[in-house]
Amino acid sequence: MKAKIAILPGDGVGPEIVAEAVKVLDAVARRFGHDFEMMELPVGGAAYDTCGDCLPETTLAACQTADAILLGAVGGPKWDALPPEKRPERRALLGLRAKLGLFANLRPAKVWDALTEASPLKNGIVARGIDLLIVRELTGGAYFGEKRRAADGKSACDTTPYSEREILRVARVAFAAARTRGEGRAPARPCGEGRAPARPCREGRAPARPPKVTSVDKANVLETSRLWRETVTALHASEYSDVELEHMYVDNAAMQLVRDPSRFDVILTENMFGDILSDEASQITGSIGMLPSASLGDARGGLYEPIHGSAPDIAGKGIANPIATILSAAMMLRHSLGLAAEADAVDRAVSDTLAAGVRTQDIALGNDHAAVSTSEMGNAISGALLRT
Ligand code: IPM
Ligand code: MG
């Protein structure tokens, strides 16, 4: 197939890790006979330095017409002093999410067989299995609500608006994802059919248990959470009663994630809670360098990025783990391009590479081998992909 992919390396470790994911996409194209047209575009602080804008018009326009977008990371100390609305995080990342209508953020977290040692949790907890999917609402809540600072600078407020419509559409994605994970390895319909990505495809291993959605809120305190809970409950009763639904307060969810993560299948939550819980989920699986994400809307052209940031402390050293970005590219193949076999091949190449003991420094704990560099990891994974 032919596909147009917008490549946005961005800042910090972004260019290093994206280069490895591009290597893997090239290997996929070679092995499966596809034609991926990859257009590299400036974004974030790097774009600010060259064009005076963290999200140049040309970058946005190319993203709007691409079949999918692969993003590294944006931001860094160099641009921290910019006015809030010009900063890379607000202008580029939140800007892309909002302008492209990417309201559903899928963040799968699982422990890879070869990496159980890297999890900070006790063996007994890890052995019960960790394989969950966080569905985070991505274009509402405090991130996009009205913000104010008093004239004297000494008081401030951020509002957290949510509408029933916003809750319904992301809740549908979570229930559909739970169903698809429960269906096992064969999705009910081909992934990517009609390019309607808001019904996500299976990610990773399907759990043996019945599908379950845990909706996370703070309904004992917040009015938006009460609306969230009512809306999810009503949707479940009318359209998804085959899926198990439970509600959980966010503080309890944070605790259960370290106490017994095996109890979770799909976690559905609002923007800010999802940001926090997904960092926590990444740590229990071993490293934040392993977690990919897909941001989907109603239209074509999802955005795929690792959940970690630009990591300026290790940028340019060639030691960042590119796996989260490579797995994000696999999610892109699955969700936006309808290439499930290719996505499985990338997942397998990552798994084989880890099984062979290849480790970047963040996941080297308990491993006999010396840590490899970012590009050595990319070479190993694309090599494994071309061999199998
Ligand atoms: C993430 C990041 C972003 C977020 C930041 C960089 C604005 O932490 O994608 O999780 O909070 O959404
Ligand atoms: Mg985050």
Side-chain angles (χ1 to χ4, degrees), residues 76-127:
K78 185 171 175 200
W79 306 283
D80 277 353
L82 287 177
E85 63 291 350
K86 289 197 169 165
R87 283 180 56 140
E89 293 85 347
R90 275 271 283 281
R91 169 81 184 139
L93 196 55
L94 303 198
L96 275 170
R97 290 171 181 173
K99 286 181 205 291
L100 301 175
L102 305 170
F103 61 83
N105 184 218
L106 311 188
R107 301 189 157 186
K110 68 170 186 172
V111 166
W112 294 75
D113 290 340
L115 284 189
T116 50
E117 285 300 311
S119 171
L121 298 184
K122 287 194 173 129
N123 289 343
I125 298 177
V126 179

Side-chain angles (χ1 to χ4, degrees), residues 107 136 275 279 307:
R107 301 189 157 186
R136 168 188 176 193
D275 178 45
D279 268 29
I307 81 151

Side-chain angles (χ1 to χ4, degrees), residues 57-238:
E57 248 340 289
T58 45
T59 297
L60 179 62
C63 288
Q64 279 161 335
T65 57
D67 293 307
I69 305 155
L70 182 69
L71 172 73
V74 298
K78 185 171 175 200
W79 306 283
D80 277 353
L82 287 177
E85 63 291 350
K86 289 197 169 165
R87 283 180 56 140
E89 293 85 347
R90 275 271 283 281
R91 169 81 184 139
L93 196 55
L94 303 198
L96 275 170
R97 290 171 181 173
K99 286 181 205 291
L100 301 175
L102 305 170
F103 61 83
N105 184 218
L106 311 188
R107 301 189 157 186
K110 68 170 186 172
V111 166
W112 294 75
D113 290 340
L115 284 189
T116 50
E117 285 300 311
S119 171
L121 298 184
K122 287 194 173 129
N123 289 343
I125 298 177
V126 179
R128 273 181 251 153
I130 304 176
D131 183 1
L132 56 92
L133 173 69
I134 296 180
V135 177
R136 168 188 176 193
E137 200 290 327
L138 203 60
T139 51
Y143 278 63
F144 293 93
E146 194 197 331
K147 298 166 195 307
R148 267 196 315 268
R149 178 73 80 101
D152 66 2
K154 297 207 185 302
S155 67
C157 89
D158 295 276
T159 52
T160 309
Y162 266 111
S163 67
E164 184 189 61
R165 185 184 136 265
E166 288 172 307
I167 300 166
L168 278 175
R169 62 185 184 180
V170 71
R172 283 205 166 88
V173 172
F175 283 121
R179 264 186 194 157
T180 315
R181 281 162 62 87
E183 277 162 13
R185 293 201 65 82
R189 49 154 219 161
C191 293
E193 186 184 290
R195 294 255 166 82
R199 188 188 156 182
C201 313
R202 177 191 55 77
E203 219 56 63
R205 219 165 1 146
R209 61 200 173 203
K212 179 166 92 176
V213 168
T214 305
S215 177
V216 171
D217 61 38
K218 190 70 186 171
N220 49 350
V221 177
L222 302 177
E223 198 50 39
T224 41
S225 281
R226 295 154 92 90
L227 176 65
W228 185 279
R229 197 174 274 221
E230 281 163 32
T231 307
V232 173
T233 303
L235 177 70
H236 173 253
S238 64

